[in-house]
Amino acid sequence: MMWWREGGALLVALGLWACSGDAVGPGDPSSSSSGTGAGQGTTGGSTGVGGDGFGGMPASGAGGVGAGGDPGVGGGATTVDDPDQDGPYTTATIAGVESVSATGHDVAVHCAYPTGGPTAAPYPVVLVGHGFQIAPSQYASYVQRLASHGYVAMTVDFVAGFTSSNNVAQATELLAGLDWAEAEPSLAGLADTSLVGTTGHSLGGKVAVLAAVNDARVKATIALDPVDSSMNCSPTNCPDVSALLPIAKPTAFLGETIDATGTFQACAPAADNFETFYANAATPSLKVHLLGANHVGFVDDVNTCGFACSFCNPASESNAVVNALSRAYVVAFFQRHLRGEVAYDDYLTGSQAQARYVTTGIATIESK
């Protein structure tokens, strides 16, 4: 076996996601291979695009543009799809490989995309970065949830070697998913590669933010317990990404502090954790502190994650709760900041978020 440390945690390589080309609906994942699964949720009226910021529900009335950090004025009473549930779009999946000339690597891409729903293509694109030596399949639920809400979403298996690392190259490879989407015949006319969001967990969170720093196509980024470690890498190849902030784009950072310290070494050390990103971020930005989570609780299933998920401190909150909250926040964040659906502020900081996560003691929420 080959071993490595990310943020002080010993990790081991895992297998890649074996993805079929079958289509699944956002209702029952095993419904059919024709993309006709039952959609969920209701589609409401349109909302006005407000000013950036995290606030409560939009006011009703004529659409307009909000000022400062306040939510914009909405276009009337609006019902939006719950980001904690699959959305109203039927979906299909596809896998492929993109050759990245800038790095000399071939990277595997696993994508879910809408095949039908309440809005027509093209759809925004979301790129999902994996944790160091954590299989991309551990983020399949994020990709599927996003697709069911009308996004072309994909994991891109950027190279993260044991003997060397290069965050700049990894960000380039993550963004190569856009090249793949533009060339993939199944996605012709479906993917809007000028309207892009990035997200990712751990190392993937850092890479997602770096991609947003480097590429104007990325309009918003949300990182899941990002670790800003250099992993014995040069500052040129592995810059302190939190120090590259602020950027003039919406950001959000979900994270935990159980793994800020460790008996051996910390999985997400306090000097490099999600709070360091948020501290340097410009408005609008959001910080969600999951009080009982550990560093690996954001993956789909810690029981199948393997050795890579075995060295962090024990969590007091279940993997299912942490993973569900994270999926919901990723969807709500991009609905708000890629589509301009101001009503999703309610799921980010407003009454829905307060009732689901703050009142129940699952998380604290801070925004600016």
Side-chain angles (χ1 to χ4, degrees):
M1 282 188 180
M2 299 178 290
W3 306 79
W4 189 253
R5 296 178 183 176
E6 179 196 6
L10 291 173
L11 303 177
V12 68
L14 301 176
L16 295 177
W17 178 10
C19 177
S20 73
D22 289 344
V24 294
D28 181 357
S30 62
S31 56
S32 72
S33 60
S34 62
T36 57
Q40 298 179 9
T42 57
T43 303
S46 61
T47 57
V49 177
D52 288 330
F54 295 95
M57 293 289 289
S60 62
V65 178
D70 295 328
V73 179
T78 303
T79 300
V80 294
D81 299 302
D82 188 342
D84 196 32
Q85 302 293 325
D86 284 339
Y89 293 80
T90 54
T91 67
T93 60
I94 188 171
V97 175
E98 177 67 17
S99 296
V100 187
S101 58
T103 65
H105 296 144
D106 292 339
V107 295
V109 179
H110 298 86
C111 174
Y113 61 94
T115 57
T119 64
Y123 303 108
V125 177
V126 175
L127 305 172
V128 181
H130 60 84
F132 186 82
Q133 296 303 311
I134 297 180
S137 59
Q138 285 291 344
Y139 309 95
S141 72
Y142 293 88
V143 169
Q144 178 60 34
R145 175 66 57 78
L146 283 160
S148 77
H149 283 268
Y151 293 84
V152 175
M154 67 192 76
T155 58
V156 183
D157 191 15
F158 56 78
V159 175
F162 289 100
T163 58
S164 63
S165 186
N166 188 323
N167 298 156
V168 175
Q170 288 157 351
T172 298
E173 291 177 359
L174 182 67
L175 290 163
L178 301 178
D179 299 328
W180 175 83
E182 289 174 346
E184 170 54 46
S186 299
L187 299 180
L190 296 181
D192 183 353
T193 56
S194 67
L195 183 60
V196 179
T198 56
T199 185
H201 169 231
S202 192
L203 169 63
K206 176 181 182 177
V207 170
V209 177
L210 183 56
V213 170
N214 290 343
D215 198 301
R217 292 172 296 179
V218 180
K219 302 301 191 289
T221 185
I222 176 171
L224 312 176
D225 214 24
V227 178
D228 207 4
S229 172
S230 64
M231 296 187 292
N232 299 316
C233 174
S234 73
T236 300
N237 292 339
C238 298
D240 184 342
V241 174
S242 62
L244 300 179
L245 301 177
I247 54 175
K249 301 175 183 181
T251 59
F253 307 97
L254 280 59
E256 50 73 39
T257 53
I258 283 178
D259 280 313
T261 59
T263 302
F264 179 56
Q265 285 182 323
C267 288
D272 296 312
N273 72 0
F274 74 110
E275 295 181 312
T276 66
F277 288 85
Y278 179 74
N280 290 339
T283 301
S285 190
L286 173 69
K287 180 177 76 171
V288 181
H289 180 190
L290 284 79
L291 300 175
N294 69 358
H295 181 57
V296 294
F298 299 83
V299 304
D300 284 353
D301 186 357
V302 293
N303 294 318
T304 60
C305 185
F307 212 73
C309 290
S310 1
F311 285 92
C312 298
N313 292 325
S316 59
E317 186 60 83
S318 73
N319 175 208
V321 168
V322 174
N323 183 255
L325 179 153
S326 301
R327 281 198 309 270
Y329 261 91
V330 166
V331 170
F333 177 81
F334 288 128
Q335 293 282 63
R336 173 64 178 89
H337 291 292
L338 289 184
R339 282 207 169 102
E341 294 275 1
V342 181
Y344 277 96
D345 278 335
D346 199 38
Y347 290 96
L348 295 169
T349 59
S351 61
Q352 289 286 351
Q354 296 297 317
R356 295 180 180 193
Y357 310 123
V358 177
T359 303
T360 55
I362 294 172
T364 62
I365 301 170
E366 183 178 341
S367 63
K368 58 185 175 180

